């Protein structure tokens, strides 16, 4: 099982410099005869499928994703200033059988990712990066370069977020989020994504779970970026009332909602000790097959609310899409666009496999 879009056996910094491992594997991109197109946020796309914010670290990764048919893909989340990655390792396989429900399974054990036999059906991983970012004077021109790699029917989304600092006020955090939105808008990117599912605000957890702050952030972003299409990236919500409020915020300030990111649990080694080195890394985000239920549930609920309320937002379904059948499940549940990261890490042909089934090739 060779890595395609990220090599978990080397540090983040080496991946950033080397580019996607697939470039050195002499694997040729598949050829597609595009006969019909789809729409996402008003843009023509060859296939409403791609890679979410995470694995595609820079323009080299975006180019490879487009070449292999991941037609709507995200440039990894950027910040208003340099931010380092968590220490290596950052991507580790975890031992989960079936669905991961954090309320029932609060702790998972890591296992050797090299011994996994197949990534496309049952692998579940933890990814712990801390949302690293280059300085804007590096990522802005590189994002412009990445946009230019999009061929006909392809679309790049630029993901961004605000940065939490010590003794920061809520107002300062919101201002930083809006400032980063302005930096992102100043690139050639046609669609932006506000990552509300990663940054922490004190002890309150992810921004997306504080809906009052989320609304303030979205209001500030919209004021800053004008009519630029905006996606809100969020996590999994247990409370239906919260999802309804989230849907209302999305419909007011954004054009689409992307759900979900990962599910957070404690990640330990076989001895029960924290598996990932460094501070505050006992709890880590888990993605892959084990979280499909959560992403699919969010898609279904957001679609039901959209129909009931007459909302116009579009839905990006993310989480546990490991094969073409998973893609179609999300589409049937109401997703206008489907994305997956874990499967793409090892299977560069999953987009092509989905395209063939979608087009009866």
């Amino acid at each position: 099982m060779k890595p395609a879009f990220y090599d978990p056996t080397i540090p983040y910094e080496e991946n950033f410099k080397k580019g996607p491992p697939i470039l050195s594997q002499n694997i040729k991109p598949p050829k597609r005869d595009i006969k019909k197109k789809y729409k996402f946020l008003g843009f023509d796309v060859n296939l409403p499928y791609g890679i979410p914010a995470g694995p595609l670290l820079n323009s080299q990764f975006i180019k490879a994703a487009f070449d292999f048919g991941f037609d709507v893909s995200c440039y990894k989340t950027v910040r208003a200033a340099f931010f380092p990655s968590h220490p290596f390792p950052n991507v580790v396989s975890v031992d989960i059988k079936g669905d991961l429900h954090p309320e029932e399974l609060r702790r998972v054990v890591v296992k050797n990712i090299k011994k996994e036999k197949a990534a496309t059906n049952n692998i579940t991983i933890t990814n712990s990066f801390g949302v690293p970012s280059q300085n804007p004077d590096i990522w802005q021109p590189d994002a412009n370069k990445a946009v230019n790699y999009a061929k006909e029917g392809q679309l790049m989304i630029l993901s961004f977020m605000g940065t939490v600092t010590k003794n920061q006020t809520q107002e300062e955090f919101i201002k930083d989020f809006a400032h980063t939105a302005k930096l992102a808008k100043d690139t050639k990117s046609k669609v932006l994504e506000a990552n509300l599912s990663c940054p922490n605000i004190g002890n309150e957890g992810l921004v997306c779970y504080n809906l009052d702050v989320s609304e303030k952030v979205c209001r500030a972003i919209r004021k800053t970026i004008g009519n630029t299409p905006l996606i809100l990236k969020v996590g999994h919500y247990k409370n239906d009332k919260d999802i309804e409020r989230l849907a209302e915020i999305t419909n007011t300030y954004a054009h689409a909602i992307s759900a979900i990111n990962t599910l957070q649990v404690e990640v330990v080694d076989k001895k029960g000790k924290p598996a990932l080195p460094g501070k505050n890394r006992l709890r880590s985000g888990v993605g892959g097959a084990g979280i499909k239920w959560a992403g699919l549930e969010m898609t279904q609920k957001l679609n039901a609310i959209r129909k009931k309320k007459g909302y116009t937002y579009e839905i990006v379904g993310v989480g546990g899409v490991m094969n073409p059948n998973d893609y179609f499940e999300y589409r049937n549940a109401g997703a206008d666009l489907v994305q997956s990261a874990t499967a793409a890490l090892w299977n560069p042909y999953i987009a092509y496999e989905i395209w063939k089934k979608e087009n009866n090739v």
Side-chain angles (χ1 to χ4, degrees):
M1 185 174 72
K2 292 185 178 181
F5 285 101
Y6 189 89
D7 185 351
T9 66
I10 61 176
Y12 168 86
E13 293 80 9
E14 288 187 42
N15 273 280
F16 189 91
K17 291 178 181 178
K18 287 186 174 182
I22 196 171
L23 296 181
S24 61
Q25 295 174 15
N26 296 318
I27 301 176
K28 293 184 178 180
K31 293 183 179 180
R32 302 179 299 176
D33 180 17
I34 305 299
K35 295 181 179 179
K36 65 176 181 178
K37 288 190 175 9
Y38 304 81
K39 289 283 188 181
F40 176 66
L41 297 179
F43 297 96
D44 287 332
V45 296
N46 299 323
L47 180 72
Y49 176 74
I51 300 175
L56 306 181
L57 311 187
N58 55 41
S59 59
Q60 294 182 79
F61 289 81
I62 290 288
K63 182 181 186 303
F66 284 151
D67 287 346
F68 277 81
F70 295 86
D71 291 325
V72 187
S73 290
C74 285
Y75 191 105
K76 184 171 173 57
T77 307
V78 295
R79 299 174 185 258
F82 174 79
F83 200 88
S85 171
H86 282 330
F88 177 82
N90 305 100
V91 178
V92 182
S93 181
V94 295
D95 192 6
I96 295 174
K97 294 177 177 63
D99 295 339
L100 169 64
H101 291 271
E103 297 82 4
E104 301 168 7
L105 186 65
R106 299 177 183 274
R107 172 173 285 199
V108 298
V109 180
V110 300
K111 58 182 179 178
N112 192 338
I113 208 165
K114 292 181 180 178
K115 294 182 179 179
E116 290 286 355
K117 293 183 179 179
T120 54
N121 289 311
N122 57 14
I123 190 171
T124 301
I125 64 169
T126 181
N127 69 89
S128 175
F129 291 94
V131 198
S133 175
Q134 303 299 313
N135 279 312
D137 62 352
I138 293 177
W139 65 253
Q140 282 184 312
D142 189 62
N144 288 336
K145 187 177 181 180
V147 169
N148 290 333
Y149 285 133
K151 296 179 281 293
E152 184 179 351
Q154 296 185 323
L155 178 67
M156 190 195 88
I157 299 165
L158 177 57
S159 176
F160 68 93
M161 64 179 269
T163 299
V164 174
T165 57
K166 190 175 181 179
N167 299 322
Q168 181 186 51
T169 66
Q170 186 183 106
E171 183 181 356
E172 288 170 339
F173 173 70
I174 293 170
K175 186 176 293 185
D176 184 74
F177 225 124
H179 174 56
T180 314
K182 174 64 166 59
L183 294 172
K185 177 180 167 54
D186 287 344
T187 68
K188 296 178 181 178
S189 305
K190 297 177 181 178
V191 177
L192 303 179
E193 179 180 275
N195 189 345
L196 302 175
S197 59
C198 280
N200 288 310
I201 41 177
N203 295 319
E204 298 176 38
L206 306 184
V207 174
C208 62
Y209 295 144
N210 186 321
L211 291 168
D212 289 336
V213 173
S214 292
E215 183 167 19
K216 292 176 182 177
V217 166
C218 291
R219 186 184 300 122
I221 291 172
R222 177 52 62 204
K223 186 177 180 180
T224 301
I225 68 172
N227 295 323
T228 302
L230 177 67
I231 304 169
L232 304 183
K233 182 64 177 284
V234 301
H236 176 260
Y237 291 75
K238 304 172 192 173
N239 190 308
D240 287 352
K241 290 293 183 182
D242 288 340
I243 301 176
E244 290 177 8
R245 173 88 186 280
L246 172 69
E248 182 181 11
I249 292 170
T250 303
N251 202 64
T252 303
Y253 299 105
H255 298 84
I257 186 161
S258 177
I260 61 170
N261 195 324
T262 56
L263 295 180
Q264 297 251 334
V265 292
E266 294 180 1
V267 180
V268 298
D269 60 21
K270 292 180 180 179
K271 296 180 179 179
K273 296 181 179 180
L276 303 173
K279 292 182 178 180
N280 301 318
R281 294 187 75 193
L282 173 60
R283 287 179 59 80
S284 179
V286 171
I291 73 165
K292 175 185 165 185
W293 72 270
L296 200 58
E297 179 184 273
M298 282 292 291
T299 293
Q300 292 165 339
K301 290 184 176 182
L302 287 167
N303 187 43
I305 294 170
R306 177 171 60 178
K307 290 179 178 179
K308 179 181 177 181
K309 300 284 188 177
Y311 289 160
T312 59
Y313 59 76
E314 296 188 30
I315 301 169
V316 184
V318 189
V321 180
M322 310 303 288
N323 55 57
N325 289 337
D326 293 333
Y327 163 86
F328 286 106
E329 265 195 87
Y330 268 93
R331 291 282 281 165
N332 291 334
D336 301 280
L337 170 70
V338 180
Q339 293 182 323
S340 61
T342 303
L345 291 183
W346 289 279
N347 182 10
Y349 289 112
I350 184 172
Y352 183 61
E353 293 166 3
I354 292 171
W355 176 82
K356 285 201 301 182
K357 195 164 185 177
E358 179 89 317
N359 290 272
N360 297 314
V361 175

